[in-house]
Structures are given as structure tokens and as C-alpha cells.
Amino acid sequence: MSDEKKETKEESIAILIKKYANRRLYHTVRSCYVTLEDLSQMVKDGVDFIVQDAKSGEDITRSVLNQIIFDAENNGNMMLPTPFLREIIKLYGDSMESFVPSYLENAMKNFMSHQDQIRESFAKNPAMLGFEQLSKMNSDWINQSMKMFGAIAQVPISEPAEKSSSTDTELQELKTQLREMQDKLSKLVND
């Protein structure tokens, strides 16, 4: 276990990182300058830290974490799909804005708690998870998140009758195509 992890767990305080006007980040425990990549690794290692503006003392942790995400997205690690980002932007100023942070936090906690199941599913079928299984897991996670809030009723979403039959046909076609692709990939992996 790294010294940073020991200190953080034993003292239950976050490491202070100071950001100077020249945009340099100073690790106050190790007494050295660090990069955004270093901070990213600290997050991955579970090391808690706070980034503070050296001059004003303002907590700028959120903006630095956003910068780490922005840099990762620009470097080709596109985890946040464009439609998702558009929906987030639409929610700023909306009456649901105050609900979104806690919903996303709980959704991420649910996702993290199911990581082992997801990895196990990928290990069983390296090609991909079946759409049905993935949809069910996603639906379960959303329902669990909604139960945590209690304020929002769980209303089943249903499509109008005329759209339902064409959607069912399209879904069946997609399932068939998916099975065929999985069979082909399994044959390739086994060969």
C-alpha cells in the first residue's frame, strides 16, 4: 500500500494539492509538483485529495477533476457519449437540475457495485454482453437508484400500440443479428 493511501486512511483527511498561478500543482505531503496525470492516478488508486487555489484558498477540486475528464476525452478515451453530454447540458437551469447530481452519483455507485458481474459476463462471452442482459442490468440499476430517492414514482414506460409491433419486429431482427455475430465471433475465438 502506498504511503499516500496509509496517510489518507489513518488520518481520514484528504491530501492538499495547491494550484499556483503558473498552473502548476503542488503536492503538499510529498513536497513536489504533480501533473494532472498524477492526480488521475491518485483517483484510480483511491487517494483522496483537495485542490486549492494557492492565492485565494478556494477549493477548485471539481474544476481540476473536470479538466482530467476533459483531457481524457480529448485523448481518445471517449466514455461520455455526445447525446449524454447534450442531455446534461439541457438539464442546466431545468427544474430537475438539483436532482441530477445525486441521481448520477447513485447510478455510478450501483454501476460500481455491479462491476464484478459485468466483468464476469464479459469473461464468459468475450465478444460482448447480450443486449437483453445489458438492458436488464441497466434497468435494474435505474430501478435501484429510483428506489433510493423515493420521491419519484416508478412508472413503466410503454409505447403506443401502433409502434409496438414494428418495434418488436425490429428488436427480434436485431436479436437474430446479434446471435449470428456472437456465433461468428465465438467461432473465430475458438479457432
Side-chain angles (χ1 to χ4, degrees), residues 64-79:
V64 170
L65 293 173
N66 280 323
Q67 184 64 45
I68 291 169
I69 292 168
F70 179 77
D71 288 353
E73 289 284 318
N74 281 336
N75 289 331
N77 300 324
M78 295 183 217
M79 241 185 356

Side-chain angles (χ1 to χ4, degrees), residues 15-67:
I15 293 171
L16 178 62
I17 307 291
K18 290 188 177 185
K19 184 172 185 181
Y20 289 93
N22 62 3
R23 303 180 84 194
R24 295 192 70 186
L25 299 160
Y26 187 76
H27 191 300
T28 60
V29 173
R30 292 190 334 212
S31 300
C32 65
Y33 288 100
V34 293
T35 64
L36 288 176
E37 292 82 22
D38 295 327
L39 296 183
S40 177
Q41 189 59 50
M42 288 171 65
V43 169
K44 292 173 185 175
D45 292 341
V47 178
D48 194 17
F49 60 86
I50 295 171
V51 182
Q52 191 178 74
D53 183 273
K55 187 175 182 180
S56 69
E58 177 187 0
D59 183 349
I60 57 171
T61 307
R62 285 177 43 82
S63 65
V64 170
L65 293 173
N66 280 323
Q67 184 64 45

Side-chain angles (χ1 to χ4, degrees), residues 24 31 33 46-47 66 87 94 101 124 145 154 165 174 186:
R24 295 192 70 186
S31 300
Y33 288 100
V47 178
N66 280 323
E87 293 303 319
D94 186 273
K124 288 179 183 175
S145 295
Q154 294 180 17
S165 64
L174 286 172
S186 292

